[in-house]
Amino acid sequence: MCRLLGYVTGVPAPISASLGEGLFGQFTSLCTIHCDGWGMAWRRPDGIGIRTSPESALVDPAYAELAHQPLSDAGMVHLRWATDGLAVSPENTHPFTDGRLALAHNGSIAPIAELESLLTAESLAAVRGTTDSERYFRYLVQEIGAAADEPEPEAVRRTISALHHRFPTSSLNALLLSPSHLYAVHVNSAATGPIRSVRAMYDSADDIPLGHADSSGYFAMAYRVRDEAVHVISSGVSPAGWQPVPLDSVLAIDLGTREVAVHAISTVTTAAGPRA
């Protein structure tokens, strides 16, 4: 269970300056909870640049160094809070990349064995860690690659819809960077967040970070469109000036034009109770 931050800018700019130092500081402060590693991925002319670490972003100087460099005009930042039972290790740290696509995930897809069963032998051979998130990424790579004649946004929407039907109570929230788009997946309508664990960390409910006190807030995502940049972010920072990403949708940001399109996915009805 993690935090996500994505950006598409007119020209390469440091994410700290593009988002704003104050908001970026708010985002980074969420490492008090999401402390099990960090990662950044960004578009390069020859593919994807990436840096990950199993250390908290609050103590790893490389995080601040990269955040203040103009790495690219499109990329993402991930703060990890490891799902119970999954190791804090380099190979489990997001984002994951194959050199062309990159993905960072906020959620848990279970059972992992069922997700793994969807992978071809070739996709499975590329897996290095133990997370559901890496298997989610490899499935997206597999299915997008198999849909070469289909517009990429439709292939992403269709694949996410299929996973939602297969795992209706899982959170598929993610950022996916391709050569043409940054996708924000906001699919979690029957997922339950780690709210009891969050509440146990604080003596007072007033101290809990924004959006972390209930599942709907925990999995919320928002985006902001400005002349110079489009950003998308998980809950935890001030919502002023941001629009909610519609629930059970994929937000597609064109890297060339910065145009934003919302693609609804087909949903399923579950017997899940209220999200605590």
Side-chain angles (χ1 to χ4, degrees):
M1 304 293 185
C2 312
R3 295 297 89 180
L4 304 168
L5 168 60
Y7 61 93
V8 179
T9 59
V11 296
I15 181 56
S16 57
S18 171
L19 185 66
E21 290 288 353
L23 281 178
F24 188 73
Q26 288 182 40
F27 176 79
T28 302
S29 72
L30 296 172
C31 286
T32 54
I33 295 176
H34 307 275
C35 59
D36 294 326
W38 65 272
M40 298 184 190
W42 58 92
R43 179 169 74 154
R44 300 194 319 191
D46 59 347
I48 297 288
I50 195 162
R51 178 71 178 269
T52 65
S53 169
E55 293 188 84
S56 168
L58 289 176
V59 301
D60 189 342
Y63 175 84
E65 291 172 7
L66 285 179
H68 290 84
Q69 294 179 24
L71 297 174
S72 179
D73 59 357
M76 66 180 73
V77 185
H78 181 267
L79 305 178
R80 185 180 184 219
W81 181 11
T83 300
D84 287 348
L86 296 179
V88 177
S89 61
E91 60 270 19
N92 283 349
T93 307
H94 312 211
F96 304 100
T97 187
D98 67 344
R100 181 178 181 275
L101 302 174
L103 176 125
H105 177 213
N106 171 28
S108 177
I109 305 174
I112 292 180
E114 183 176 346
L115 176 61
E116 187 172 285
S117 72
L118 303 178
L119 299 179
T120 64
E122 181 180 6
S123 297
L124 189 57
V127 172
R128 295 292 176 261
T130 59
T131 65
D132 52 307
S133 301
E134 186 181 7
R135 286 151 179 81
Y136 176 20
F137 169 63
R138 287 295 166 184
Y139 184 67
L140 285 170
V141 171
Q142 172 183 301
E143 296 304 298
I144 293 170
D149 296 332
E150 187 176 20
E152 184 183 88
E154 174 55 24
V156 172
R157 186 207 64 78
R158 179 181 49 76
T159 303
I160 295 297
S161 291
L163 280 175
H164 179 54
H165 280 254
R166 188 81 176 244
F167 303 96
T169 61
S170 295
S171 169
L172 303 180
N173 279 18
L175 293 176
L176 175 68
L177 180 64
S178 82
S180 61
H181 289 81
L182 176 66
Y183 298 96
V185 179
H186 186 218
V187 178
N188 57 82
S189 52
T192 301
I195 305 309
R196 290 184 181 178
S197 297
V198 172
R199 291 172 179 166
M201 296 177 183
Y202 296 90
D203 294 330
S204 170
D206 294 336
D207 296 330
I208 296 176
L210 289 170
H212 283 60
D214 58 79
S215 289
S216 59
Y218 184 85
F219 289 120
M221 297 177 73
Y223 69 104
R224 183 181 69 179
V225 179
R226 292 184 168 180
D227 289 343
E228 70 280 7
V230 180
H231 296 96
V232 61
I233 199 166
S234 299
S235 61
V237 304
S238 172
W242 294 75
Q243 304 178 63
V245 178
L247 184 58
D248 291 334
S249 73
V250 177
L251 191 81
I253 307 168
D254 187 291
L255 302 189
T257 65
R258 299 196 300 283
E259 292 182 355
V260 178
V262 177
H263 302 272
I265 70 156
S266 58
T267 57
V268 295
T269 302
T270 73
R275 298 200 290 176

